[in-house]
Amino acid sequence: MDDGADRDDGNRSYGHKSFKRSKSHFADRITADGREGHPVAAGRYRLVVSRACPWASRALVSRRLLGLEDALSLAVVDPVQDDRSWRFTLDPGGRDPVLGIRYLSEAYDRRETGYPGGVSVPAVVDVSSGALVTNDYQQITLDLATEWTALHRPGAPDLYPRALRDEIDTVMAQVYEDVNNGVYRAGFATSQQEYEAACEGVFGRLEALAQRLERQRYLVGDTITEADIRLFTTLVRFDAVYHGHFKCTRWKLTENPVLWAYARDLFQTPGFGDTVDFDHIKRHYYQVHTGINPTGIVPLGPDLCGWLTPHRREELGGRPFGEGTPPGPVRDAERVPPRGRP
């Protein structure tokens, strides 16, 4: 995630120009057969994420559901960027202990000097060369589900089942355009008309998704798929940042009974809520987007205790992991600190 800002604009640019999602400039794929020069191999790559970023959070959820922790190491950046973007100030000495760099931009520069676009997460870096392989947030998780299967844990779910891919792709395209991207278009709008059009799109799509989820536990089929992951990472941020910070104020997630129950169901499923850090989420949005929040003040709310309340979605049936099993406990090194949990 670079929120559509160019590399040299800095944090003050947010909210001063119309939002446009940057395309992934580095779209190399890591495949089972290595057909693009990057074969799947345990320990060869490092996944760099921000727990604040909804696009990176997709990769966090997928990696955990599929049990790829041993195969694909994890680096977590500071949620508050400076004008050089994502930095490793959470690590001792301010350097990533594996890549040895202070800024993610260093891995980008090792791949290509003077490249267009911003420094975004998720990013997959080749450990031996220290160079970026891909920042293609749309493809990374699909490849984790389909190309990394030899390294999946026993009992890993099929997050992109072949028989349902057409429907999954259709739903994901709608979610991407109107919800994932829609909240940003509303939040970074530079005119009333632009804002209202984006906001109408967000809530129109959310209402349509709520109607779909009234009668089925998950978006497509009776198991968790990539489509659920992509919707969840926006819903879990909705009341904490998108409602107020991005002015998506028609209603809160907690005021929509279907979507609120659906989001709680996923949050309480191993692999979802245990990757979410609300402290990182709030500090990133409110402190980085100084163009729309110049004071940098981070709100105290909302109350997070509701995320752990009963949802009763199991009454709709469904099998969260299909024929598989839940992932095991979160590793101590990757556990979200208490400040970031409900």
Side-chain angles (χ1 to χ4, degrees):
M1 177 176 74
D2 64 1
D3 294 338
D6 291 330
R7 188 176 184 179
D8 297 326
D9 284 346
N11 297 337
R12 292 182 299 277
S13 67
Y14 296 120
H16 292 287
K17 61 181 182 180
S18 296
F19 172 78
K20 183 178 180 181
R21 174 70 56 193
S22 300
K23 291 186 67 175
S24 298
H25 181 63
F26 302 101
D28 292 10
R29 293 180 61 190
I30 300 170
T31 60
D33 61 4
R35 58 187 177 273
E36 295 191 13
H38 304 286
V40 170
R44 177 167 175 170
Y45 308 100
R46 189 157 175 81
L47 175 65
V48 182
V49 303
S50 165
R51 292 190 186 274
C53 169
W55 318 95
S57 291
R58 297 175 179 180
L60 272 174
V61 174
S62 296
R63 173 179 174 269
R64 176 145 159 67
L65 290 177
L66 298 172
L68 290 170
E69 292 95 331
D70 287 332
L72 180 62
S73 66
L74 180 68
V76 179
V77 295
D78 193 310
V80 180
Q81 302 155 283
D82 65 16
D83 283 349
R84 286 190 62 182
S85 196
W86 302 107
R87 50 193 183 153
F88 294 99
T89 49
L90 302 180
D91 295 303
R95 290 185 183 273
D96 179 80
V98 174
L99 302 174
I101 57 178
R102 294 185 179 276
Y103 289 88
L104 179 57
S105 60
E106 296 174 57
Y108 276 66
D109 289 336
R110 288 177 185 174
R111 169 67 185 271
E112 180 181 329
T113 302
Y115 61 89
V119 179
S120 64
V121 288
V124 181
V125 179
D126 180 82
V127 172
S128 62
S129 68
L132 179 77
V133 175
T134 178
N135 67 347
D136 190 346
Y137 58 91
Q138 296 284 58
Q139 190 63 44
I140 287 173
T141 50
L142 296 179
D143 283 343
L144 291 181
T146 60
E147 297 288 341
W148 290 65
T149 53
L151 298 176
H152 288 181
R153 66 178 174 86
D158 185 353
L159 298 176
Y160 196 45
R162 187 173 298 276
L164 297 176
R165 286 182 188 177
D166 287 347
E167 185 178 0
I168 291 172
D169 289 346
T170 297
V171 172
M172 290 195 305
Q174 296 167 345
V175 169
Y176 174 81
E177 179 65 24
D178 296 329
V179 181
N180 301 149
N181 257 354
V183 293
Y184 282 87
R185 287 198 302 273
F188 292 150
T190 58
S191 72
Q192 187 70 30
Q193 182 179 15
E194 184 183 355
Y195 159 73
E196 289 184 7
C199 210
E200 290 289 342
V202 169
F203 286 97
R205 180 61 60 193
L206 288 177
E207 287 163 359
L209 291 168
Q211 291 178 355
R212 182 184 187 96
L213 289 164
E214 277 183 326
R215 57 186 183 273
Q216 60 191 64
R217 190 172 179 183
Y218 303 111
L219 282 172
V220 182
D222 66 347
T223 65
I224 291 167
T225 69
E226 174 81 11
D228 298 293
I229 296 172
R230 296 190 182 197
L231 179 56
F232 172 80
T233 57
T234 295
L235 293 183
V236 79
R237 289 161 173 77
F238 202 87
D239 289 3
V241 289
Y242 301 146
H243 179 267
H245 185 57
F246 279 176
K247 304 181 185 69
C248 294
T249 53
R250 176 163 288 179
W251 38 262
K252 295 179 181 178
L253 176 66
T254 54
E255 295 170 346
N256 185 294
V258 174
L259 292 180
W260 176 222
Y262 167 78
R264 297 201 316 277
D265 185 7
L266 292 177
F267 186 88
Q268 294 170 32
T269 300
F272 284 85
D274 50 30
T275 69
V276 174
D277 190 325
F278 284 105
D279 175 61
H280 278 207
I281 290 168
K282 293 202 305 179
R283 286 198 289 125
H284 170 75
Y285 282 92
Y286 285 101
Q287 292 183 332
V288 170
H289 298 163
T290 53
I292 56 177
N293 187 41
T295 65
I297 293 173
V298 181
L300 293 176
D303 185 353
L304 301 175
C305 63
W307 282 101
L308 301 179
T309 59
H311 53 77
R312 300 185 65 179
R313 292 282 295 177
E314 66 277 359
E315 296 175 7
L316 291 172
R319 304 166 299 146
F321 302 100
E323 300 300 324
T325 58
V330 180
R331 298 179 176 191
D332 288 343
E334 298 186 9
R335 197 175 301 278
V336 175
R339 183 179 177 185
R341 302 198 301 263

